[in-house]
Amino acid sequence: MSKKIGTPLNVFSKMLENIGTGSYVQEPPHFSVDELNRTAQTLSAVGKQLGTNVEKLKALNDAYSRFIPSAFIETLGKQDVVSVKLGDCSQCEMTILFADIRGFTQISEQMSPTELFNYLNTYMQYVGPVVTKNGGFIDKYIGDGVMSLFPNCAADAIRCSTDILVAVQSFNETIRDSRHRMQVGIGIHTGPGYPFPHHSLTFCLVILGTIGFENRMDATVIADSVNVASRLEGLTKQFKVPIIVSDFTLRQVNLSDIGVESQYLGHVCLKGKKIPLPVHALWSCSDPVVFTDNHLVEALRQFESGHFQDCLDMLRKIDRSTSAECVDALSTVYEEQCVQYMKLGCPLHVGSTPLLMDVK
C-alpha cells in the first residue's frame, strides 16, 4: 500500500517542483485510484492557471514599462513598479537632453488632429530607439519635445544628439510634402556648470523621483539643470545651430572619440540666471565644418575682452553673402549685444563679457 501511495506522491512532488521552476503546463498523469486522478487533474489545472496569470503579469509589467521606464525604477532602487511609492526619490548625476521640433506650430496648422498624432508618433519611432541605443531613457514627452536622461556618462547624450539628427533625416525622407519635413534643436546639460567651487558635489546632482498625490503620480526629475538644458535647446533657434551643449558637459567628453566637433559660442546669461554659462555648438565630424570664419573667432575674443567697437569692426569684415547661416546668426547676436552695451553699459562681471539671452 505504501508503495502505491508513495509513487503518486512522488509524481505530485515533481509536478509542484516543475511549477516552482516555471513549467506551469503539465499533462496530468493517470492513476488507478479516482481520488488520485482528480488530484492530478486539479494540480495540472492549477499549474496552467498559474502560467496564464504569470503571462498576464509579464504583459502588465511590459505595459507599465512603456509609461514608467525600467531604468527609472532601477534608479530608485526598486524591483518593480508596484513597490514605487509617492515621494520615492534618488539623487544622482545625469545628463539631460531636450529635443524640440522647429516650426512645429506651422506644421501642425496644416494637419488634422489625427494626422498630427500619426506624424508625431512616427517621428518618435525614429527618435526613441536612438535614445535607448545610446544608454538613455525618455523621461517625458512635452508636446513635440522629448526630454531624455542619460545616467551613465555625458558622452552617451552627445553621441545620441548627432544620431537624432541622422534619424530626423531618415524621417524626412519618408515625408512627401516638403512643408512637413522637420528640423530639430537639441540642448544638453549635466549638473549646474556654474563656477561654484565652494559647493559640494551634491550640488551637481539631480533628484529623480515620484511626485503627485496618492491617486495620481508621475515620475520626474527635479533640478535646475533641467531648466538649463531646456533653455540651451531654445538657444539653438537664435544661433541657428542644431545642438548646443554646456561647457560643463563638454569638458567630461573626448569629442574625437565619438566623432564630434565643437565651436565655442560665448558666455551666455540665460533668462533668470545671474551667472553666465559658457556654451558650445556641436556637429558630427561627417558634416561640413560650419564655423570657419577667422573674423568671427577674433570678434568673439574682442567682445569677451570688453572691446565692443573692435568686435563690431571684425564682424563687419565677414562676408554675409557667402557665410553659413549659423555664422550670420551668431554675428547678428553679437552685433546687437555690442550696440546695447555701448549704449547702456555692460553689466559688471568678473571674467568674460556675457551675452544676455532672453530665452524661456
Side-chain angles (χ1 to χ4, degrees):
M1 181 69 178
S2 62
K3 184 176 182 181
K4 291 182 179 180
I5 296 176
T7 299
L9 289 178
N10 290 337
V11 172
F12 293 154
S13 177
K14 184 62 177 177
M15 291 179 72
L16 289 171
E17 182 181 334
N18 290 339
I19 290 174
T21 58
S23 298
Y24 302 107
V25 180
Q26 303 176 73
E27 289 299 322
H30 180 73
F31 301 108
S32 58
V33 182
D34 290 343
E35 289 80 0
L36 293 178
N37 281 331
R38 285 195 295 270
T39 303
Q41 290 171 358
T42 300
L43 189 56
S44 176
V46 168
K48 290 179 181 179
Q49 186 60 51
L50 281 174
T52 300
N53 292 343
V54 168
E55 290 303 316
K56 288 182 179 179
L57 185 59
K58 288 180 179 178
L60 186 60
N61 282 333
D62 289 342
Y64 275 130
S65 68
R66 291 196 289 270
F67 291 92
I68 303 178
S70 57
F72 184 97
I73 296 173
E74 291 170 4
T75 303
L76 289 179
K78 304 295 182 179
Q79 292 185 341
D80 52 50
V81 69
V82 176
S83 58
V84 175
K85 296 180 177 59
L86 180 65
D88 285 342
C89 61
S90 175
Q91 282 191 339
C92 51
E93 182 172 341
M94 285 190 175
T95 299
I96 301 164
L97 181 152
F98 270 89
D100 193 68
I101 299 174
R102 292 282 160 267
F104 179 71
T105 300
Q106 293 178 341
I107 294 174
S108 64
E109 289 173 347
Q110 301 164 9
M111 298 181 182
S112 68
T114 300
E115 290 173 333
L116 188 58
F117 263 85
N118 291 336
Y119 178 83
L120 282 175
N121 281 324
T122 303
Y123 160 66
M124 299 302 179
Q125 291 293 326
Y126 281 83
V127 172
V130 170
V131 174
T132 303
K133 182 189 73 173
N134 285 287
F137 62 93
I138 294 176
D139 176 64
K140 57 177 58 71
Y141 299 102
I142 310 168
D144 59 301
V146 178
M147 175 181 166
S148 301
L149 307 177
F150 295 82
N152 298 322
C153 62
D156 289 344
I158 291 178
R159 190 183 297 108
C160 179
S161 67
T162 57
D163 285 351
I164 287 176
L165 299 185
V166 174
V168 168
Q169 288 179 348
S170 299
F171 169 79
N172 285 337
E173 291 172 1
T174 69
I175 304 300
R176 294 182 179 180
D177 191 338
S178 59
R179 297 175 303 168
H180 298 165
R181 291 173 190 152
M182 68 169 67
Q183 293 181 325
V184 297
I186 299 172
I188 306 172
H189 182 55
T190 312
Y194 295 138
F196 293 153
H198 57 282
H199 280 277
S200 65
L201 178 63
T202 57
F203 189 71
C204 299
L205 303 180
V206 301
I207 299 178
L208 180 147
T210 56
I211 193 169
F213 74 112
E214 288 79 2
N215 295 332
R216 177 64 174 93
M217 293 188 296
D218 197 6
T220 192
V221 171
I222 299 175
D224 183 62
S225 52
V226 174
N227 296 328
V228 173
S230 176
R231 287 173 181 172
L232 291 182
E233 178 274 314
L235 276 183
T236 63
K237 302 174 186 177
Q238 292 174 273
F239 287 124
K240 305 295 183 186
V241 294
I243 306 169
I244 291 183
V245 61
S246 66
D247 185 73
F248 186 83
T249 299
L250 195 69
R251 284 190 281 112
Q252 300 181 47
V253 180
N254 187 336
L255 294 183
S256 61
D257 289 346
I258 55 178
V260 175
E261 295 187 29
S262 68
Q263 169 63 45
Y264 173 66
L265 298 176
H267 279 64
V268 177
C269 264
L270 300 171
K271 186 174 183 179
K273 304 295 179 184
K274 295 181 179 180
I275 300 176
L277 182 72
V279 299
H280 306 258
L282 295 182
W283 65 92
S284 172
C285 291
S286 60
D287 295 332
V289 178
V290 293
F291 292 96
T292 56
D293 197 300
N294 292 329
H295 297 307
L296 178 62
V297 175
E298 179 60 22
L300 266 62
R301 191 183 70 83
Q302 294 294 342
F303 178 88
E304 295 202 330
S305 299
H307 304 147
F308 304 124
Q309 186 58 58
D310 292 336
C311 175
L312 286 172
D313 293 341
M314 295 305 298
L315 292 173
R316 287 163 184 161
K317 293 180 180 181
I318 298 173
D319 186 355
R320 301 291 183 88
S321 63
T322 59
S323 62
E325 182 183 34
C326 53
V327 172
D328 187 47
L330 190 59
S331 300
T332 300
V333 168
Y334 273 93
E335 278 183 346
E336 293 174 351
Q337 198 77 93
C338 281
V339 171
Q340 179 181 346
Y341 283 168
M342 291 171 68
K343 182 178 180 180
L344 302 176
C346 176
L348 294 177
H349 176 69
V350 178
S352 300
T353 304
L355 289 168
L356 302 179
M357 308 300 291
D358 187 17
V359 178
K360 295 182 180 179

